[in-house]
Amino acid sequence: MAVLFNLFLLSCFTLLCFTTSTTSLTTTSPTITKPKRLVIKLIHHNSIYSPYYNPNDTIADRARHAIDNSNARLDYIWKKIQGISLDTNDVRSGAIPEAKHYSFMANISIGSPPVPQLLTMDTGSSLSWTQCQPCIHCFTQALPIFNPPQSAKYRLLPFLSTICHQAPNMICPASRCDFEQEYNDCTTVFGYLITEKIIFETSDEGITSVPNLVIGCAYDVGGNFGTLGGQTSGILGLGAQMTSLVSQLGSKFSYCFGSIWDLQYSHNQLTIGDGAKIEGPSTPIKIFGGDYYLTLDSISVGEKKLDISPQVFKLTEESTGGVIIDSGSTFTYLTNAAFDPLKDEVLSLMDGLVQFVGTLHSSPCFTGVIDRDLAGFPVVTFNFANGVDLAFRCKDLFSADSFESFLVAVVVPDRKALQDWATNHNVTGDFNSLCENLKARKYILDLLNNTGHKNQLRGFEKLRAVHLEPNPFDMERDLITPTFKLNRPRLLKYYEDIVDQLYSEAK
């Protein structure tokens, strides 16, 4: 069966190991007995080991989820940048990626007695936090919400402590260390800092606890994070600030993961502490504005080095340029000055192999079967400083977008406009029956395609069929977010049967 697929860079598909050192800082917090390293097991959302595993998801489903999440993550990072002018003490915790953010999550327990929590791993922020009772506004989570007073080890972090003054948007004066954490997806988290015992699994499936770690207690979570629900409890911040667990437990951390398409892969790991090791060749990392930057020298396709100026990848003193490595994005994004030469080379190699059908989000689209038609396609290599190469093979470059080669749509028509059309064309019935009327559906279909033609949409972007939905997309059905953006994964699931029927009708 032919499939529509796109050129993307799927950085999670290849084995990727990453180690960084953060700045060592002195705090007035209680003494922490630091294990040399914590080796935290990571489990991807799609893995059979994940509670989110859905055997009914297709490769196209997983690709769409990854694309939506990566696009949102790119927007988050870009907005953030714009605002910036021992060996035997081996500890591990399970980690599971959050269902709707598709990020890895750390499985830990907090307090005494221990309460299990799942925290989304994030290299883009430093403060780790979990929801705590009593909550003013908390999102639904499957695990119990942590109640600090019920823990024998719970202590409020004093306002005068050094680490408190590194808390995001510290609120003062106060008897405790209050914070306000803002994320660029419109999520705002209010809470306070505490010290607590955190418990990790050891590599031999035992447990090891680390006392007096500083973590945030969130009592008011609003915005997109508040609509998630499910397994997640909060954020595991891996940034370079003093509030990060990385800074509290030493000066290093590393993470290493393999193919996210291998549903049985179980060797993804996060290591925190001075015992984090580098195996194989290494490339330098620079910390700037709270983000981790790599030095990318060039890009090659097969043996051919692309004609891209090295200045394209350089981080400037004005905080422009540079290449960020980020735990929250599946896809790799390139500036046009780098992507266009890569795209042009790919297009020239594709000539005669598969049919080019246009572009989607600047990426070329083709019709064909990846495994069959692209056998032997040359490896694309990112050449980093110190001779470190990251190879993207065929399945790392191309994403199956759909098992259909044309588009259908679910449309919420304007009530008055549709009723006016019906009156003018002697079509009777209430609004719901009009939405089911074949003539009305054809009218809307033609209207949309005419608009697309005027805006020079490509042939593969033309609609073949539409379903008219009488009820507007709403938050009650989780079809839009509180900021009125479409919740695309939920929409796809909600209208899955209708979309399948549209494809059946249009063939």
Side-chain angles (χ1 to χ4, degrees):
M1 176 186 294
V3 59
L4 185 67
F5 59 89
N6 308 80
L7 168 66
F8 285 107
L9 297 176
L10 311 181
S11 56
C12 286
F13 284 24
T14 53
L15 183 64
L16 175 62
C17 296
F18 163 68
T19 302
T20 185
S21 297
T22 62
T23 304
S24 179
L25 297 168
T26 303
T27 79
T28 58
S29 302
T31 302
I32 299 172
T33 304
K34 302 177 182 178
K36 191 170 183 182
R37 61 186 186 130
L38 306 173
V39 183
I40 302 171
K41 184 178 179 182
L42 301 173
I43 304 174
H44 192 266
H45 174 275
N46 296 328
S47 167
I48 62 172
Y49 307 105
S50 167
Y52 298 111
Y53 172 65
N54 184 353
N56 297 321
D57 274 352
T58 65
I59 293 177
D61 291 332
R62 296 177 188 126
R64 276 192 294 269
H65 297 328
I67 291 169
D68 289 342
N69 178 71
S70 297
N71 286 339
R73 186 68 178 183
L74 175 66
D75 183 59
Y76 165 75
I77 293 174
W78 175 248
K79 289 178 180 176
K80 188 175 73 168
I81 291 173
Q82 292 297 95
I84 299 175
S85 328
L86 339 232
D87 293 336
T88 58
N89 202 0
D90 177 5
V91 183
R92 172 175 54 182
S93 76
I96 304 165
E98 203 287 320
K100 296 184 182 178
H101 277 233
Y102 289 83
S103 300
F104 290 98
M105 294 180 66
N107 181 359
I108 65 174
S109 294
I110 301 175
S112 179
V115 179
Q117 304 289 298
L118 296 175
L119 306 183
T120 301
M121 171 181 162
D122 181 24
T123 57
S125 62
S126 292
L127 178 65
S128 298
W129 58 267
T130 188
Q131 295 192 124
C132 293
Q133 296 283 14
C135 267
I136 298 175
H137 298 104
C138 279
F139 53 85
T140 302
Q141 64 179 60
L143 296 169
I145 295 179
F146 179 59
N147 191 344
Q150 293 183 357
S151 170
K153 300 297 182 181
Y154 149 73
R155 297 291 185 274
L156 286 172
L157 186 72
F159 169 74
L160 295 178
S161 65
T162 304
I163 198 169
C164 178
H165 290 262
Q166 295 292 321
N169 297 312
M170 179 190 61
I171 301 171
C172 64
S175 58
R176 63 186 185 188
C177 184
D178 284 20
F179 70 87
E180 177 185 351
Q181 175 73 69
E182 297 178 351
Y183 298 92
N184 283 325
D185 64 350
C186 298
T187 295
T188 303
V189 179
F190 293 91
Y192 54 92
L193 298 188
I194 65 172
T195 61
E196 255 297 0
K197 179 174 73 172
I198 298 183
I199 300 166
F200 304 84
E201 288 182 13
T202 62
S203 54
D204 60 357
E205 308 306 327
I207 59 171
T208 293
S209 63
V210 182
N212 299 323
L213 287 173
V214 175
I215 190 169
C217 255
Y219 58 81
D220 189 350
V221 183
N224 290 337
F225 209 106
T227 67
L228 293 178
Q231 297 284 340
T232 187
S233 307
I235 293 290
L236 178 68
L238 298 178
Q241 302 301 318
M242 186 186 297
T243 52
S244 170
L245 289 184
V246 177
S247 297
Q248 295 183 61
L249 291 171
S251 61
K252 292 182 180 180
F253 79 99
S254 68
Y255 58 83
C256 185
F257 46 84
S259 172
I260 61 171
W261 282 168
D262 183 353
L263 303 185
Q264 299 190 37
Y265 191 82
S266 61
H267 305 294
N268 306 302
Q269 289 188 336
L270 165 68
T271 302
I272 302 177
D274 291 333
K277 298 177 181 178
I278 298 175
E279 297 181 0
S282 63
T283 190
I285 291 175
K286 181 178 181 179
I287 301 173
F288 185 81
D291 293 308
Y292 298 104
Y293 285 80
L294 301 176
T295 302
L296 179 60
D297 291 333
S298 62
I299 298 175
S300 302
V301 179
E303 298 299 320
K304 180 180 179 180
K305 180 180 176 181
L306 299 181
D307 185 16
I308 304 172
S309 170
Q311 299 301 317
V312 170
F313 304 119
K314 286 198 172 181
L315 176 64
T316 69
E317 294 181 357
E318 293 77 26
S319 74
T320 61
V323 177
I324 294 175
I325 184 167
D326 174 58
S327 65
S329 177
T330 302
F331 289 84
T332 297
Y333 292 84
L334 297 172
T335 183
N336 288 338
F339 184 75
D340 288 346
L342 174 60
K343 179 177 67 174
D344 292 343
E345 182 65 18
V346 168
L347 285 171
S348 68
L349 292 170
M350 289 293 214
D351 189 26
L353 292 179
V354 292
Q355 179 185 359
F356 171 68
V357 294
T359 58
L360 184 64
H361 305 304
S362 300
S363 297
C365 300
F366 310 90
T367 299
V369 179
I370 295 178
D371 290 340
R372 180 195 67 196
D373 297 327
L374 301 184
F377 193 86
V379 172
V380 173
T381 304
F382 280 22
N383 311 116
F384 292 97
N386 291 0
V388 173
D389 294 335
L390 178 62
F392 294 88
R393 292 173 175 79
C394 189
K395 288 187 176 180
D396 308 332
L397 286 171
F398 299 98
S399 165
D401 187 64
S402 172
F403 286 98
E404 305 292 348
S405 57
F406 60 90
L407 299 179
V408 298
V410 175
V411 180
V412 179
D414 180 88
R415 179 183 291 266
K416 185 178 185 305
L418 187 60
Q419 289 174 336
D420 288 347
W421 170 86
T423 300
N424 293 335
H425 291 81
N426 298 318
V427 178
T428 59
D430 60 17
F431 184 63
N432 283 10
S433 63
L434 286 178
C435 287
E436 297 176 358
N437 186 281
L438 293 179
K439 291 182 179 179
R441 289 173 58 187
K442 185 178 186 306
Y443 161 68
I444 297 295
L445 177 65
D446 291 342
L447 192 65
L448 291 171
N449 280 331
N450 288 337
T451 302
H453 179 73
K454 291 177 182 178
N455 287 275
Q456 299 181 330
L457 295 186
R458 305 285 185 132
F460 78 98
E461 295 174 301
K462 182 179 178 181
L463 292 169
R464 293 271 193 93
V466 295
H467 166 77
L468 302 186
E469 170 59 64
N471 301 308
F473 303 145
D474 52 44
M475 283 185 284
E476 286 72 17
R477 293 177 291 169
D478 198 23
L479 300 180
I480 58 174
T481 71
T483 55
F484 302 101
K485 296 178 182 178
L486 295 179
N487 187 345
R488 297 182 185 277
R490 173 62 179 159
L491 282 163
L492 184 62
K493 288 296 183 185
Y494 189 87
Y495 291 103
E496 185 175 13
D497 292 341
I498 290 173
V499 169
D500 288 343
Q501 181 62 32
L502 289 174
Y503 274 116
S504 177
E505 292 176 359
K507 289 180 180 178

